[in-house]
């Protein structure tokens, strides 16, 4: 019978390999150059437009996320107004940092130059871990922060330097200002340490100092959420429902493996097994359980497959070290074409395609590409509808968009068109502001006739937005309605219309 024992001693004293600075740089630098080359491709993604709009309403929290990404969007837009490259540059920087950290984790596991390079290559050739660096998104910041926290904990196991635990708490506090997923990691971490050790970690004051830092940092956000009915907690059900439309839990694992890429998926599976079985990784065995539990947690709660990518690099690093330790020659030989093919696939996943050669959207996953098109056409069509109003009507008019993407886009185009304020009851945008009760005429962008009639006495189509490239219902085949005679004051009706 196998007995599980908790490790209470630091990893046996040994000289870990030097960091392969030049080798890792030879991977990180081309990845950075490739990402930088496509930063300005196409237009703003819908979420990026929302971040810019939210950044114009700075807050301690938002209904669907923390305040950090909107703050980043605001700062970059102040530095370089309207610049896609500037807006996306922070995502590129943290992605490259993630590549370096993946190699650093392999080094902590005892991996030499080769293992560090393979670990970095796995990160750099992941279609998700790499490509997310070309767009400002919550996951493009959240994922690398998970990797940093993991590296700090792995290093603590080897060195027992308690300051690392404090830093892990500080990074967690920062990550909680992005999105509320990192507690899943820490819960799984606690279970893993209780099962496999080192259990003394849970008794270290430094760990709880880090936890206290996180708790204090969350007070403003928690107060905001409490004052607004805890909308953040509604997002779990919303995300789960969205996932069900594309296959739900049945396709979670295949999509999660696909996000890792060819080399990454192989190392992810192999490395997770090694974390459980390899004698050299016994002090880190709890991390194997963390990887498994994180995936199980997001499958059980209906999360998105990419929610788990933050734990991938630690398993990839374990796999890379095992690959180089293997005495079976064919494994090393097979790694060469796998790495080469992974590089090709990763390069192909970047947005190199000229806009003129992109076919119209067919729905589904096309949203990731076509969510960057059609915004100028949407703005132009909205302006035509607005200009059709009389000057008196414009004095009491507002623009309301069905989607928070549409609202973010129209808010970005307000200045050249000199429109009134833009609102949307969708997602976090519904908490950015409420139309004034004096607004008696509404240009409603998108939406269904029957739903609008429940809120207005008169609903008439006044325009239509369309574009060759774009997403159906968002920038393609969108009806613009003129809505008059709100059935109730906006201050009462808005809470009924708001939806996550």
């Amino acid at each position: 019978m196998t007995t599980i024992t908790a490790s209470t001693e630091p990893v046996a004293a040994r000289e870990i390999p030097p960091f392969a600075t030049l080798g890792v740089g030879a991977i990180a630098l081309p990845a950075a150059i490739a990402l930088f080359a496509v930063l300005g491709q196409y237009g703003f993604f819908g979420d990026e437009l929302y971040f810019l709009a939210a950044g114009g309403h700075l807050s301690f929290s938002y209904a669907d996320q923390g305040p950090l990404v909107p703050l980043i969007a605001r700062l970059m837009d102040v530095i370089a107004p309207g610049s896609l490259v500037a807006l996306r540059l922070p995502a590129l920087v943290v992605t490259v940092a993630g590549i370096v950290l993946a190699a650093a984790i392999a080094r902590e596991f005892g991996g030499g130059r080769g293992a560090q390079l393979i670990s970095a290559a796995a990160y750099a050739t992941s279609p998700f871990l790499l490509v997310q660096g070309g767009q400002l998104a919550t996951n493009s910041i959240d994922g690398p922060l998970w990797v940093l926290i993991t590296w700090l904990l792995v290093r603590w196991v080897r060195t027992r330097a308690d300051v690392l635990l404090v830093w892990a708490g500080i990074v967690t506090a920062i990550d909680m200002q992005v999105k509320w997923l990192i507690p899943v990691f820490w819960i799984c971490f606690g279970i893993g340490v209780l099962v496999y050790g080192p259990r003394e970690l849970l008794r270290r004051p430094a760990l709880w100092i880090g936890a206290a830092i996180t708790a204090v940092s969350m007070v403003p956000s928690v107060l905001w959420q409490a004052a607004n009915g805890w909308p953040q907690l509604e997002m779990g059900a919303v995300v789960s429902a969205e996932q069900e439309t594309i296959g739900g839990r049945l396709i979670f694992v295949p999509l999660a493996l696909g996000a890792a890429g060819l080399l990454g998926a192989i190392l992810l599976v192999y490395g997770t097994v090694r974390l459980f079985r390899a004698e050299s990784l016994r002090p880190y065995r709890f991390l194997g359980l963390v990887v498994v539990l994180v995936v199980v947690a997001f499958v059980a709660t209906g999360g998105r497959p990419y929610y788990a990518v933050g734990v991938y690099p630690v398993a990839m690093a374990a796999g890379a070290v095992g690959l180089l330790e293997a005495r079976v020659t064919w494994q090393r030989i097979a790694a060469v074409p796998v790495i080469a093919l992974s590089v090709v696939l990763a390069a192909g996943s970047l947005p190199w395609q000229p806009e003129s050669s992109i076919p119209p959207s067919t729905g589904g996953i096309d949203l990731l590409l076509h969510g960057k098109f059609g915004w100028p056409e949407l703005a132009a069509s909205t302006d035509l509808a607005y200009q059709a109003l009389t000057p008196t009507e414009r004095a009491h008019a507002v623009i309301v968009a069905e989607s928070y993407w549409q609202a973010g886009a129209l808010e970005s185009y307000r200045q050249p068109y000199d429109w009134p304020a833009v609102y949307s009851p969708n997602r976090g945008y519904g908490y950015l502001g409420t139309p004034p009760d004096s607004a008696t005429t509404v240009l409603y962008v998108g939406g269904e006739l029957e739903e609008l009639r429940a809120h207005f006495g008169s609903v008439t189509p006044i325009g239509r937005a369309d574009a060759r490239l774009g997403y159906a219902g968002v920038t393609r085949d969108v009806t613009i309605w003129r809505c008059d005679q709100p059935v109730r004051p906006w201050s009462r009706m808005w809470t009924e219309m708001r939806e996550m």
Side-chain angles (χ1 to χ4, degrees), residues 77-329:
D77 196 51
V78 169
I79 294 171
S83 171
L84 273 172
V85 173
L87 181 71
R88 295 169 174 172
L89 194 59
L92 183 154
V93 171
V94 296
T95 296
V96 173
I99 295 172
V100 176
L101 285 169
I105 293 173
R107 176 177 179 260
E108 292 297 325
F109 286 157
R113 181 175 181 274
Q116 294 174 38
L117 296 187
I118 292 175
S119 184
Y123 196 112
T125 58
S126 159
F128 188 84
L129 292 170
L130 174 68
V131 175
Q132 70 177 353
Q135 180 176 301
L136 182 63
T138 52
N139 51 271
S140 63
I141 306 297
D142 177 62
L145 290 176
W146 279 50
V147 182
L148 177 55
I149 292 167
T150 307
W151 173 75
L152 290 167
L153 294 174
V154 169
R155 187 168 176 81
W156 180 88
V157 172
R158 183 179 66 82
T159 66
R160 293 304 199 266
D162 283 356
V163 67
L164 297 170
L165 300 179
V166 177
W167 276 112
I170 293 172
V171 178
T172 299
I174 295 171
D175 198 17
M176 287 293 288
Q177 307 307 313
V178 178
K179 57 201 311 183
W180 290 7
L181 293 181
I182 192 63
V184 174
F185 170 86
W186 281 107
I187 292 169
C188 296
F189 165 82
I191 295 172
V193 170
L194 284 173
V195 173
Y196 288 111
R199 293 174 189 154
E200 65 166 293
L201 194 160
L202 300 178
R203 298 191 296 269
R204 295 280 185 160
L207 179 70
W208 300 105
I209 291 173
I213 292 171
T214 300
V216 170
S217 74
M218 286 302 297
V219 170
S221 292
V222 169
L223 291 176
W224 187 96
Q225 290 288 326
N228 288 275
W230 300 98
Q232 180 82 243
L233 300 182
E234 294 181 39
M235 283 303 299
V238 172
V239 169
S240 181
E242 290 177 349
Q243 289 304 114
E244 287 299 320
T245 65
I246 60 170
R249 294 169 177 83
L250 293 177
I251 65 167
F252 185 100
V253 172
L255 289 179
L257 287 174
L262 178 60
L263 175 62
I266 293 171
L267 293 181
L268 174 60
V269 174
Y270 177 46
T272 301
V273 172
R274 287 197 76 247
L275 284 168
F276 281 110
R277 300 182 61 181
E279 188 60 32
S280 62
L281 295 178
R282 176 177 288 276
Y284 306 100
R285 194 147 293 175
F286 69 95
L287 289 168
L289 188 56
V290 170
V291 173
V292 172
L293 289 178
V294 165
V295 172
V296 169
F298 288 131
V299 170
T301 57
R304 296 190 172 110
Y306 61 77
Y307 282 180
V309 297
V311 296
Y312 286 8
V314 71
M316 291 174 178
V321 173
L323 182 66
L324 269 294
E325 288 179 351
R327 298 179 181 179
V328 183
T329 305

